[in-house]
Amino acid sequence: MATKNAARNKYKKMTMSPKEYQTFAKSHEPNRSVAANCLRAFVVGGAICLIGQALQDMFVHVFGMSKTDASNPTVAVLIFIAVVLTSMGVYDKLAQWAGAGSAVPVTGFANSMCSAALEHRSEGLVLGVGGNMFKLAGGVIVYGTVAAFFVGIIYMIFGIRGH
């Protein structure tokens, strides 16, 4: 009986107040340099934008497109590159190192969509990939569609034409 009680006491539940837990968690949290994080985000986000600008210039000079016409294939190529890098596991490592610098451009949105699709592919194409991929992107797509609708209505009412 004594050994049974000793075993129970050995594995007592540890109870902490929320304040004690925060202090404990803070003491075990790695130090992060805000300046270094900002620099990495700036460099990676800038590099993605530099690649996008190079692609747009290529479409303009090599294929003879106008800058406006070159913007759509530029975004499509950036999205394709992000999806390929996400599928190979490279973009996630880059995102972990770069932080917000890789999340803000359109490539970050492509990465989040592709990651959700890859994570749920074992559940099937419709319920797994389709259902879970759009849980994440649904809000962004709905907001973009609704905002475009209202901007279009405002333009129509005031007779503003975009050229």
Side-chain angles (χ1 to χ4, degrees):
M1 185 75 172
T3 56
K4 195 174 190 180
N5 287 336
R8 280 189 202 152
N9 290 337
K10 184 179 177 183
Y11 297 111
K12 252 187 186 174
K13 285 189 176 180
M14 188 170 146
T15 56
M16 288 185 180
S17 70
K19 194 168 193 163
E20 289 173 328
Y21 178 75
Q22 284 180 345
T23 306
F24 176 77
K26 273 269 197 227
S27 68
H28 288 80
E29 188 176 286
N31 292 333
R32 294 186 184 105
S33 170
V34 173
N37 286 346
C38 289
L39 181 64
R40 285 194 298 252
F42 177 77
V43 168
V44 171
I48 291 170
C49 293
L50 181 69
I51 292 168
Q53 187 63 50
L55 285 168
Q56 185 178 23
D57 290 345
M58 180 197 71
F59 284 120
V60 168
H61 297 297
V62 174
F63 297 109
M65 296 178 165
S66 69
K67 282 194 174 204
T68 305
D69 292 340
S71 62
N72 289 337
T74 300
V75 172
V77 170
L78 284 173
I79 289 171
F80 178 76
I81 291 169
V83 167
V84 169
L85 291 177
T86 299
S87 300
M88 295 185 329
V90 174
Y91 199 92
D92 293 332
K93 291 177 185 172
L94 174 72
Q96 191 145 31
W97 183 80
S102 65
V104 174
V106 70
T107 55
F109 184 67
N111 171 52
S112 63
M113 294 277 295
C114 183
S115 294
L118 290 172
E119 184 177 339
H120 298 286
R121 69 179 173 214
S122 64
E123 298 170 23
L125 289 178
V126 175
L127 296 177
V129 174
N132 290 300
M133 181 171 64
F134 289 109
K135 278 183 187 175
L136 176 71
V140 176
I141 293 169
V142 168
Y143 176 78
T145 304
V146 170
F149 174 77
F150 284 117
V151 168
I153 295 293
I154 292 169
Y155 274 41
M156 188 178 75
I157 290 171
F158 292 109
I160 302 170
R161 295 189 180 246
H163 293 286

